[in-house]
Structures are given as structure tokens and as C-alpha cells.
Amino acid sequence: MRCGGAVGLLPSAPLPTFELTLYLATTVGCHLYSFYELFKLSRIYEKNLDTEFGFEKGFFIWGFKKDPTDFEWSFWTEWVKKLLMWTLLGHIIISQVTNAFFPKFRTWLLMMYGMLACFITVGYKGLAVILLHLVISFTVAQLRVPALSWICSVLLLYSLQMDSLGKMKMRRILTSVPRMDHMCLLLGVVRIFFWWWLTESLLHFMYIHAIQHQETILESASYWILGGLAFAHTMFFYLKYLLLYGIPSIIMYLDGIEPPRLPRCTSSLYSFTGTWREFDVGLHRWLVRYIYVPLGGSQHGLLRMMFSSAMAFSFVCYWHGGHSFMLYWAVMNWVGVMIENILKMICSSSPAQEIIGRFLSARMQRRVHGALGSIATTLLILSNLVFICGNEVGRIYWNRTFIQARNILSVRQVAEARDLNKSCQVSECTFIR
């Protein structure tokens, strides 16, 4: 089986059950302990953080407050409660009623309702911008000139970055699929509510977003707390997008449209390549289809592959606003993907396979793969922290993880490195099964 990580071919020999159990127990134990340390830190600085950021009253009966400083989560949850929940519910009702009684008029009625929902949500100016974009894009597409279509798309995308217009990003996939049965629908709704509860719980027990703005805390915190904070940020990001993608996915299934797979858990990702392939599947397909492959991809040599990947990451950076921290994040991911692909090409060659097979057993190859995966995981988490928290937090983590660690290698850092290795081993085993 070919792997997207740091080694070319993933050996098929499984590791002993006892060894995998030890890895899993150690990984879970280290994560729970780092979360406990982060929970204690949140309690220590709760009053100071509350004074500076204005925590909200929590929904738990024992009095925990809620950290509201993640703008994206606060913005969308407020919109969902006030407006989006009802507009989405209206879409579901109209879609199901028209499908049952007025199938010939279903498309027209959904279009009219969609325009009404846009008008209610973003006002007449927002609706006018959406319609103008549709008209321009459709007109340019009729000319069938790829270069002109790209220029038009880039200019329209730039208009969405204007503060006066906000950000309205949409994706569509038109593959028809069988409709969900009632049990699958009920299970999907239960999962949505569970993810929401778990995400809200993180904001009550660990004030990760308020702490990220406190450089003095980050500079003095223990490595257990830094590790727990980094892992909590990535898990919160994953849960947040499970909800942002999960709710539309259920609605798309009800409409008979196949959505992309939901994001894969970040704790099971141990390579840059795998993260881009498995986290946002729809975005990955779009980048490969419309940027990477047309520009040459991997079929025209290493330099064309590097150029095609660079253009794909440049577009992602531009799509997210083109800020300086986005540029650093995009560059780090491009370098990570390139290194992994080059290593995969080297390790997949016949001489390398012969050397690896001569000196390493199949099980030892797995262990080496896990060790290399731990390095990729460390850098992947660092790049995600730059994306989520900004350049300053990324700089602090870089200094404390690599610069300070070069002078003083603590026992805790060794334990965390081993933990990442074991996490990669467990992730590999789970992914293959």
C-alpha cells in the first residue's frame, strides 16, 4: 500500500498487539495529562482573562465560564441561532415538499427560496453582489477561454475579500446519490449535537483562545501545557469544521446530492500530504482538478510538480485573504508536501527498496515510518498554529520547541517526542484497518 507520508511504501506486517496497546495507552495518557495541566492553568488565570476578554456565562451548572474569543465560532453560532437555523430548516421543508408533490417545479421553487434566504441573510446589497458574480461568471464561461475565466475568477475572488462585502464562499458538487434513510438521518443529527456539545465544552474547560493572546503565559508555561494547548487548538479546529461541513452535508444528502467526505480527525493525520488529501476533501479535489493537473502535476518531472503545487498553495493563501501569516502557513505546507513527495520518490526506487529490505524488517520499517511521521506531525502542528493563532504564537512555539530545546532537552520533551511517534503508529494502524 502506498503511503502519503515520509516513506515510500508502507510495510504490511502488523505490529504486536501489546506494542500497539502500549502506544495507544501512552498517547491517550499524555494527551489527558496535558489537557489536565491546561485546565489547571485556565483556572489559575480565569479572573485575569475574564477581566481582559469578557468571558460569557457558561451553560454548565457548576459555574464554568465560556471563552468567546474565537471569532469564527462565536460569529457562526450566533448566526445559526438567530437566522441560519431557520433558513436552512425552510430549505429542508421546501425541498422535501416539492420533491413529493411538485417535482417539476422543485428547481424553480428552491431557486426562489434561495434568493429570498440570501436577501434575508445578507440584504439587498449582498444579494445583488451574488447575482452580479453569477452573471459575470456565466457570461465569461460561455466564451470558453480558460485564461479569461481564470482572470475573471481571480478578480471576483478579490472582490469577496473587501471588508464592505464580507466573505461569502460557496462550493457545489452535483453528483446524485440515494437519499438518506431515517435512521442515518437521525444518527447524523445526533452526531451534530454531540460535536456541538464537545466543542462548547472545550470553550468552558480550557480557555485556549484567550491564552493564545497572552505571550507571558506562553513564554513561561510548561511543555506539557504547550503541548496540550497546541493539541487542543487543532482538535477545536477539527470539531468546528466537522460542524460547519456536517450540517450542510446532511442537507445535501436530503436533496440527493453527494457531499465530500467530512474532515478526517487531525489526531490521526501524520503527514502534510495526507492532511491536505483527507481534511478538506472537496478543496483538495478542486485544487487538483483545476490547478495542479492543468499546470503539469506530477507527470512532467519534479520541477513542474513543484511549480504546480506552489500555484495551488498560492491560490489557497489568496483565497484565505493573503495575510502574512497565511503566506508563512502556505509556504510551510508547500515545503512539507515537497519534502514528503521527494522522500517518497527516493524510497520507492529499486535501490532504496533493496537497501531498506536488507537492513530493516517489515515491523522495523513501520517503527521507522512512525519516527519520521512524528517529525512531520510536529512541523504540521506548528504550521497549523500559525494558521490558527498567527505569526507571533508560531514564533513562540518555534523558539520554545526548537531553539530552547537545542540548549536544554528536558525529559518532558523526550516523552512528547515518543508520544508523537506512538500516535503515528496508532494512526497508521487505524487508517489501514
Side-chain angles (χ1 to χ4, degrees):
M1 178 180 177
R2 192 165 294 276
C3 176
V7 178
L9 295 175
L10 189 62
S12 58
L15 295 177
T17 303
F18 170 78
E19 185 176 351
L20 288 175
T21 304
L22 178 62
Y23 291 159
L24 178 61
T26 306
T27 300
V28 173
C30 288
H31 288 163
L32 291 178
Y33 181 74
S34 63
F35 280 172
Y36 172 68
E37 289 290 314
L38 183 57
F39 169 78
K40 290 197 302 182
L41 183 73
S42 299
R43 302 281 74 76
I44 293 173
Y45 290 97
E46 180 176 2
K47 290 184 178 180
N48 294 335
L49 295 174
D50 185 15
T51 301
E52 182 170 353
F53 297 104
F55 286 171
E56 297 177 357
K57 184 178 180 180
F59 61 83
F60 290 110
I61 59 175
W62 50 85
F64 287 113
K65 295 182 179 181
K66 175 184 174 181
D67 179 2
T69 50
D70 183 77
F71 170 78
E72 190 174 36
W73 178 255
S74 299
F75 172 81
W76 283 111
T77 51
E78 193 66 23
W79 256 42
V80 166
K81 287 187 293 185
K82 289 186 175 180
L83 188 61
L84 292 184
M85 179 188 298
W86 310 110
T87 55
L88 292 175
L89 183 61
H91 173 90
I92 294 173
I93 294 173
I94 292 177
S95 175
Q96 299 306 303
V97 170
T98 54
N99 184 67
F101 301 104
F102 312 105
K104 292 183 179 180
F105 303 100
R106 182 170 180 266
T107 302
W108 291 99
L109 291 174
L110 284 175
M111 181 188 72
M112 294 171 60
Y113 176 78
M115 294 176 63
L116 176 62
C118 285
F119 173 75
I120 295 174
T121 304
V122 298
Y124 70 92
K125 291 183 179 180
L127 177 60
V129 170
I130 293 174
L131 294 177
L132 181 62
H133 277 220
L134 291 175
V135 171
I136 294 175
S137 299
F138 179 79
T139 303
V140 173
Q142 301 309 303
L143 301 177
R144 300 180 182 275
V145 180
L148 186 60
S149 295
W150 267 109
I151 294 174
C152 174
S153 299
V154 170
L155 292 176
L156 291 178
L157 179 59
Y158 174 75
S159 71
L160 294 182
Q161 305 295 347
M162 297 178 181
D163 294 336
S164 58
L165 296 179
K167 298 181 180 180
M168 295 172 283
K169 303 177 182 179
M170 306 176 185
R171 299 188 184 100
R172 279 182 69 194
I173 295 180
L174 300 177
T175 307
S176 179
V177 294
R179 297 179 180 276
M180 297 177 71
D181 58 40
H182 293 88
M183 186 56 66
C184 289
L185 175 61
L186 179 61
L187 179 61
V189 173
V190 170
R191 291 170 66 189
I192 290 293
F193 276 101
F194 174 74
W195 294 333
W196 171 82
W197 173 83
L198 190 58
T199 307
E200 285 286 323
S201 298
L202 281 176
L203 296 177
H204 286 74
F205 289 113
M206 295 178 288
Y207 303 141
I208 59 176
H209 300 100
I211 291 174
Q212 81 180 44
H213 298 290
Q214 302 295 314
E215 294 184 20
T216 54
I217 297 178
L218 296 178
E219 294 283 4
S220 60
S222 68
Y223 285 103
W224 283 113
I225 293 176
L226 284 181
L229 186 65
F231 187 69
H233 269 297
T234 58
M235 288 305 298
F236 181 85
F237 183 79
Y238 164 67
L239 290 170
K240 180 167 61 177
Y241 277 85
L242 267 183
L243 286 163
L244 292 178
Y245 291 2
I247 295 174
S249 293
I250 292 178
I251 297 175
M252 292 176 71
Y253 270 121
L254 288 172
D255 287 345
I257 302 173
E258 182 183 10
R261 294 193 311 274
L262 293 179
R264 183 176 161 189
C265 181
T266 52
S267 62
S268 67
L269 296 170
Y270 50 89
S271 69
F272 285 90
T273 308
T275 298
W276 279 94
R277 184 183 295 121
E278 300 292 338
F279 188 80
D280 193 337
V281 178
L283 177 61
H284 177 263
R285 290 176 181 172
W286 192 93
L287 292 173
V288 170
R289 181 180 299 174
Y290 296 108
I291 298 180
Y292 183 73
V293 172
L295 292 178
S298 59
Q299 304 301 316
H300 296 84
L302 179 61
L303 292 179
R304 285 288 291 274
M305 180 185 71
M306 296 175 68
F307 173 75
S308 303
S309 298
M311 290 299 99
F313 282 110
S314 298
F315 180 83
V316 173
C317 176
Y318 181 66
W319 165 260
H320 283 90
H323 307 289
S324 62
F325 68 93
M326 292 292 177
L327 179 60
Y328 286 122
W329 167 73
V331 170
M332 292 174 69
N333 277 266
W334 176 74
V335 171
V337 169
M338 289 300 98
I339 292 176
E340 288 177 357
N341 278 274
I342 292 173
L343 287 177
K344 185 171 69 173
M345 293 169 57
I346 295 173
C347 294
S348 299
S349 63
S350 298
Q353 285 292 307
E354 183 178 350
I355 294 173
I356 293 173
R358 180 183 304 174
F359 293 100
L360 297 176
S361 65
R363 286 182 174 178
M364 188 54 66
Q365 290 180 47
R366 271 192 177 279
R367 297 184 181 101
V368 172
H369 189 274
L372 295 175
S374 67
I375 300 174
T377 302
T378 303
L379 297 176
L380 185 61
I381 292 175
L382 178 63
S383 72
N384 287 333
L385 285 173
V386 172
F387 177 81
I388 297 170
C389 305
N391 289 333
E392 191 59 33
V393 174
R395 180 192 64 80
I396 293 174
Y397 266 85
W398 174 268
N399 288 337
R400 297 211 53 193
T401 305
F402 297 102
I403 305 302
Q404 294 180 15
R406 187 172 57 186
N407 301 324
I408 303 175
L409 186 61
S410 67
V411 175
R412 289 177 179 177
Q413 288 173 286
V414 174
E416 289 175 2
R418 291 177 179 174
D419 176 38
L420 288 173
N421 186 356
K422 294 167 183 176
S423 179
C424 294
Q425 296 285 359
V426 174
S427 300
E428 288 177 11
C429 211
T430 304
F431 179 65
I432 293 172
R433 288 177 181 174

